[in-house]
Amino acid sequence: QVQLVESGGGSVQAGGSLRLSCAASRYTYSRDNMGWFRQAPGKEREGVAAIDSDGSTRYADSVKGRFTISRDNAKNTLYLQMNSLKPEDTAMYYCAAGGSVALALWRFMYSYWGQGTQVTVSS
């Protein structure tokens, strides 16, 4: 059974940084398309960043230049480094795996999801 567990969320002030991690068990990252999504109260779940099996990346315009997605295949862990955080980044962040299309930022393209980790950015 595939298990994805996010960690690293918390509360920070605007301009601060956080690094989110997504650890997987019974799952191989090296051959998969993965991504990070977020959902704020009252809003749809939106794609933040995606990474394919070759390490290519894609970012939503709202986070481009501030966030970096990466993967450590040896540790079976996905990361999202978030810098220059803004209050608009406040949301529950989810790790997604099993993307049917490489670098997709559409949630329906992914098969596996973690439970999420909360990120709160205050001004």
Side-chain angles (χ1 to χ4, degrees), residues 12-15 66 84-91 119-123:
V12 298
Q13 293 187 340
R66 299 187 297 120
S84 301
L85 284 163
K86 304 175 181 179
E88 304 92 271
D89 296 318
T90 296
V119 172
T120 302
V121 184
S122 60
S123 60

Side-chain angles (χ1 to χ4, degrees), residues 87-104:
E88 304 92 271
D89 296 318
T90 296
M92 184 73 74
Y93 282 71
Y94 299 90
C95 172
S100 58
V101 176
L103 305 182

Side-chain angles (χ1 to χ4, degrees), residues 39-102:
Q39 186 169 24
K43 295 185 178 181
E44 295 285 335
R45 187 171 299 186
E46 63 175 351
V48 174
I51 186 167
D52 68 9
S53 59
D54 296 322
S56 297
T57 59
R58 179 188 178 190
Y59 300 91
D61 290 340
S62 60
V63 306
K64 194 172 299 182
R66 299 187 297 120
F67 290 11
T68 302
I69 186 172
S70 62
R71 63 199 302 167
D72 187 331
N73 293 330
K75 296 181 178 180
N76 239 23
T77 303
L78 180 73
Y79 302 98
L80 183 67
Q81 178 66 47
M82 305 185 295
N83 299 325
S84 301
L85 284 163
K86 304 175 181 179
E88 304 92 271
D89 296 318
T90 296
M92 184 73 74
Y93 282 71
Y94 299 90
C95 172
S100 58
V101 176

Side-chain angles (χ1 to χ4, degrees), residues 1-7 20-36 50-56 69-80 94-99 110 112-115:
Q1 180 177 335
V2 175
Q3 296 182 15
L4 303 176
V5 180
E6 302 96 335
S7 63
L20 306 184
S21 298
C22 175
S25 63
R26 302 181 183 87
Y27 193 79
T28 302
Y29 277 25
S30 62
R31 302 192 300 269
D32 194 32
N33 299 311
M34 304 188 71
W36 286 97
I51 186 167
D52 68 9
S53 59
D54 296 322
S56 297
I69 186 172
S70 62
R71 63 199 302 167
D72 187 331
N73 293 330
K75 296 181 178 180
N76 239 23
T77 303
L78 180 73
Y79 302 98
L80 183 67
Y94 299 90
C95 172
Y110 294 86
Y112 309 111
W113 296 86
Q115 295 300 306

